[in-house]
Amino acid sequence: MDINKLSEERALIAKEAQKEKDTLACIHKEIKKRKEFIRSLHLLEENRYDNTQARKQYGSLMHILKKYQVDMASAPESFQQMSRAVQDANRGLEFGQKGEERAAKAIALLGNRVLSLQNLRLKYNNLDIEHDLVIIAPTGIFSVEVKNKRHNGLISEKGILKSGSHSENLIEQIRRHTNSLSRYMEEIYKKQPQMKKKLKVYPIILWANDHSDVKDHFREVPVCYINRLEYEIFKKDKYTAHLSRSEMEDICTRLKKRKQQNRLYPLCVDRTYLEELTEYCLSDLKKQMEDATRRLRIHEYDIRMLDKKIQQKEKGFFTKIGELFSRDSI
């Protein structure tokens, strides 16, 4: 093979090597872009979040998994478990939020006949209680536990709600919420004893999912579906507070003034998970980078070998030229 052909081959390989260098530059740029995008989301910067913030955080984590097509099958089981926990937590918050939205719509249909406060967090002495929904109606004050479950529910005689694989003690929640709200109202109106007989707090369990059923064997607390809420709270023979409109408004105003910031909760994952997630989001790029680097090294090796051959050819060529000049001089 003459020098021209070797040079042509070298030029072609050098061109391929430059393509790999350009590919590597693009990969490095994309890695930087992904890292900056994840940092821009400001994930897991706080230790605790309210439900709305937590859902936003979980949603962002799930978006990242989908956006960068993280291969869960190749990830360690520990990472898969944490990712499933994120999905479950997000789904739970989503259902809870939808339940609250359905409850709000049901309240809106009642117009000005009632007043309501959602996610009412109150602190009294050592108690810190967050009520899903408080309804102030002419018939009384209602502490409403909103339950929005995907699966059918069963409430046992002891007040244990079972839905799918989940179970919770409703009677403890209900007693804690109604008793604390009753004591709180008495404290607010302690200088108005005439109001004491009207400060009646009643518990209700509101089943917010129309696509699932609940069987109630508890009986001590009414369980009603969204479309039955109006009929329940206006049972004058059952609920007998007899609040006037001005009294309802006064109660609502006083509770609003004492409402605390929404309770903050820790997420089910920590920064270690975010660091692992970031690495898995870069895994496909790193694999591409390894492949491109390997191809570049091969091209660089081939170029070095060709350079040696070209040098040898050139050396041989100049040796022959030298020999010809030597003969001519003789």
Side-chain angles (χ1 to χ4, degrees), residues 95-142:
F95 264 80
Q97 184 177 348
K98 286 182 178 179
E100 292 174 2
E101 291 170 354
R102 289 170 182 160
K105 287 180 180 179
I107 295 298
L109 291 175
L110 301 180
N112 61 1
R113 297 167 67 193
V114 301
L115 301 172
S116 66
L117 296 165
Q118 280 192 299
N119 300 319
L120 178 64
R121 183 186 176 198
L122 299 171
K123 286 185 178 181
Y124 176 65
N125 292 337
N126 295 326
L127 293 174
D128 184 352
I129 303 295
E130 188 168 339
H131 301 264
D132 291 344
L133 175 64
V134 172
I135 299 174
I136 305 162
T139 48
I141 304 165
F142 298 87

Side-chain angles (χ1 to χ4, degrees), residues 17-31 285 288-294 296-297:
Q18 186 58 48
K19 286 182 180 179
E20 299 301 342
K21 288 179 181 179
D22 293 341
T23 298
L24 286 170
C26 290
I27 291 173
H28 283 295
K29 186 177 180 180
E30 180 62 22
I31 287 175
L285 293 176
Q288 294 174 29
M289 187 166 60
E290 289 176 3
D291 293 341
T293 301
R294 178 177 53 80
L296 176 60
R297 297 292 178 261

Side-chain angles (χ1 to χ4, degrees), residues 283-308:
S283 60
D284 62 324
L285 293 176
K286 290 184 175 181
K287 178 63 170 61
Q288 294 174 29
M289 187 166 60
E290 289 176 3
D291 293 341
T293 301
R294 178 177 53 80
R295 291 192 297 268
L296 176 60
R297 297 292 178 261
I298 292 172
H299 293 326
E300 289 175 338
Y301 174 80
D302 291 342
I303 289 172
R304 288 196 299 272
M305 293 299 101
L306 285 171
D307 285 341
K308 287 182 179 181

